[in-house]
Every structure is written in structure tokens, then in C-alpha cells.
Amino acid sequence: MAVKLGYQNVYRDPKGYPEWQSLRMPIESAPAGLASHTPETETPGPLYGWAMLWTLLGIFAGGMALNLTPCVYPLIPITVSYFGGQAARKGEGRGSLVAHGVCYVIGLAFTNSVLGVVAALTGSLLGAMLQNPFVLLVVAAILVLFASSLFGLWELRVPRSLSQAAAKSYTGYFGSLFMGLTLGVVAAPCIGPFVLGLLTWVAGLGSPWLGFLVFFTLSLGLGLPLFLLGMFSGQIEKLPQSGGWMVWVRKLMGWVLVGMAVYFIRPVLPELWGTIVLALIALVAGIHLGWIDRSQANFRAFPWFKTGVGVACLVLTTFLVTSWAMKGPGVDWKPYSKETLQEAQKLKKPVIIDFYATWCAPCRELEEVTFHDASVVKEAESAFVMVKVDVTKGGNRVHERLLQEYVVKGVPTIVFLDGDGEEKRDLRLVDYLPPDQFLARMAEIKKAGR
């Protein structure tokens, strides 16, 4: 059994201030006098466990791919020659090259990581706005605009004076550090749109340490190939020559931004349409990158690589469609009512109340993954009363009272009541949780009612 109510916008207290300001507002931001009543436990953020590992690996690979864009690739011989010249000038060997390479990567990582932290710190404002469907559409449109630059429809240009200042050459380790600090400026026409799109995503996460980690990982991916080539500068002659294949790489990064745009608008789309749009993007990207695009290269493996990327996108499309088609039934939610809670107490059944909104990404993930897991569904049907309070639309007095009663400051918020109707506050959930961990909480609340 379960609960579905209705509600968009945010609940406002009598003074007119929003009760929650973001999808996952920290408890410290609660109005005075309320925080002390809600000892919420910390839950995993938007990146954790295997999800974090695969996301960071993808970002690292994206950083490495940026080396193959038309703006960065020509800098490789220049950068490697610079490292070699610095070491030769002092008559030092491989150790000096390593030191110069480390300085270069540190400079690059510092610039990008600061951008990531700043974006995350200012992301509280963006997070507050991301509960508005119109804002989500605007953010998605900005990402598509940046993607169109990578597709060649327009060019991002840095002011000439800034480019000239960044292109200055300095000697010593400071020179290597300076090159890393200013690489983003010199390569902005190619990597700028991708970095700006990633900044928008990081701002939505709202976590400074995640912002630092994401952009530090990107910097490692961008700087590691240059570092290794600097160590083995004799291999520079074996690199493929510049050519149209680098334009293909730019287009690949453009499709990544389009995918990020779909990520932002999924909360405002019906669940089925969100999957269909993602599948269509993967399909079109695969056909374009694998077969329609006519970019060429002077090495034989490139056509095979293009075809491989196209096939991978088609496989992703198939996976998205089949995973949706094969998804089993979800939890049977009931609408909230006092009678429902009273009946649960008579039966000594624990109650799970899910405060949910369609524009909330973690809410959708909980619904699509955790609450469609066969084990969770079976446990919910046999031993629980499942109640959903859908706060997508505002103006419902019952919902406003519930938000005050349970001190709900953001969605998702999942409240666990034992068989006597008392909340087990240490189990309260304010973010996505995978099925196995959610089952553990269900087991705990069952024990609490005995």
C-alpha cells in the first residue's frame, strides 16, 4: 500500500519565506527553532560509491579527450618542447622534467579546482532556483548553446589582450606553473564550452568538496598526457598529425553537453518521456558521430574508432529502452490521510511517508530505482503502509500542515514511523539511497515497532 498527494512550488511559512531553498537543503539552513527538532542523519550525496567512481572516470576520460581538440592539440609539441628546453637549459635530466611537469599539472588543477569550488559555493542560489521548471529549461538551453559552439555554429573567443598575457613565456618552475594556470585561457575556444557546462552541473550539486574533486579529476585527465609526453619527449614524433579528426572530438564533447542538458530537464518531463529523450539523444549522437560526420584522419584506426563510438551509442540506446520495458511494478503508494495512519497503528504496521516532487532529481531516482526494486516492493507490500505526499504543486493546506508537522525542509524527505506511529528520526532520509541500503532501514523500523 502507499500515499500520493499533489503540490508544486515550495511551502512558505506565515512570513512568506520558503521552508526549503534547494533540493537537499542542509539542516543548518532551517529556520531558527526548527533545526533542533530534526536530527537528520547524513546520507549519500549525488555522487557516492560506484556512481562516484564511474562519474569521476568519465570526467577523467573527458579531460583526456579535451587534449584532442583543435585548440589544445597543437599546444602539445610546444608544451613538451618547453619542458625539454627548461631541463636542458639547466643541464638536468629526467628529474627536472618531472618537477616541471608536476608544476604544470598543479597550475592547471589549481585554476580548474578553484572554479569548481566557487561554482559549488554559489550553487546554493542555483539549487534554490532549480526547483522552478522554467529555470531548468533555461539551464538546459544554455548547455545546448555551449554545445552548438562545439558543433561549429559559433566560436567562443577570449579577449585578445587576455590571450596575449596568457601566452607569455616564463623560465624556471614558475614558468611551468604559469603555463598550467593559463592553459584554460589559451584553449578556451575549444574547452571553454565544455568547462562552462560542467560548472553549471557542479553548481547544481552545491557541494564544494565535490566541485573541487570533479575539476581536479578533469585537470588530471587534461594534464596527464602532457606530463607523460614531457617525460618521454622523443615520442612526440609518433603523435598523429593535426586534422579533421580533432573537429570530430569537439563534436563528441558537444553531444556530452546535450546529454547534460537532458539531465537537467528530465525532472519536468513525464518519466517515460525522460527515458525516450535520452534514448533519442544517444541514437542521434551515435548515427552522427559514427557515420554521418565526414571528419577524416591520417591514421587508419580512426574510421574504426568512429564506428566503435557509434555502435556504443546504439548499445546505450538499446539499454535505455529495454531497461524501461523490463522494469517491474513499483511500490503501491497510498494517499495521506489520518485514517490510513490510524489503521496502520491498529495493525502495528510501520509507515513510510515519502515527500516527493517531480522536479526533484533524487526523488525521481528513488522512484525509478529503489521503489521499483523487487525486494523493496515485496517488503513494502507485506509489512508496511507506504504513503506518498506529492508536493509538486502548492496551495494544499493539508500538505502545508504536514510540512510543518514533520519539519520538512526539502525533497526528497522520507519519514519512517514505527508501529506506534512514532517517527524513528535517525532513519530519516533526505537523499537518494540504493535498494540494499533502503532495505536495511526498513528492517530497522520493523525491529523498532516490536
Side-chain angles (χ1 to χ4, degrees), residues 371-393:
F371 295 140
H372 273 81
D373 179 80
S375 298
V376 173
V377 173
K378 182 179 180 181
E379 186 71 6
E381 289 178 348
S382 62
F384 287 82
V385 173
M386 306 294 290
V387 174
K388 186 178 288 292
V389 180
D390 187 346
V391 295
T392 302
K393 296 181 180 179

Side-chain angles (χ1 to χ4, degrees), residues 187-226:
C190 290
I191 72 173
F194 182 80
V195 171
L196 290 172
L198 198 59
L199 282 170
T200 305
W201 177 64
V202 166
L205 297 179
S207 170
W209 81 269
L210 278 178
F212 174 86
L213 185 60
V214 164
F215 274 88
F216 185 79
T217 303
L218 179 74
S219 302
L220 290 180
L222 185 58
L224 184 62
L226 294 171

Side-chain angles (χ1 to χ4, degrees), residues 234-360:
Q235 303 298 313
I236 197 69
E237 298 176 357
K238 298 181 180 180
L239 288 176
Q241 295 180 3
S242 300
W245 63 272
M246 292 187 298
V247 177
W248 182 88
V249 174
R250 281 190 61 171
K251 294 175 182 177
L252 171 63
M253 307 309 291
W255 281 113
V256 171
L257 286 186
V258 173
M260 292 173 65
V262 176
Y263 166 84
F264 273 100
I265 65 170
R266 279 195 75 192
V268 303
L269 298 174
E271 185 178 348
L272 175 59
W273 277 102
T275 303
I276 290 175
V277 172
L278 275 178
L280 284 175
I281 292 297
L283 176 64
V284 175
I287 294 174
H288 175 228
L289 294 171
W291 296 281
I292 294 179
D293 185 77
R294 297 301 179 187
S295 301
Q296 299 296 327
N298 61 346
F299 52 97
R300 294 180 181 179
F302 182 63
W304 292 97
F305 184 76
K306 283 179 61 179
T307 302
V309 171
V311 170
C313 290
L314 296 183
V315 170
L316 176 60
T317 302
T318 304
F319 171 77
L320 290 171
V321 173
T322 55
S323 62
W324 167 259
M326 296 176 63
K327 185 165 62 173
V331 168
D332 181 21
W333 296 101
K334 295 184 65 176
Y336 175 86
S337 69
K338 288 185 177 179
E339 292 74 19
T340 298
L341 298 187
Q342 290 171 356
E343 180 183 357
Q345 289 182 37
K346 288 180 182 178
L347 298 173
K348 291 295 181 180
K349 279 190 172 184
V351 179
I352 295 178
I353 305 177
D354 177 20
F355 290 88
Y356 166 97
T358 57
W359 40 257
C360 163

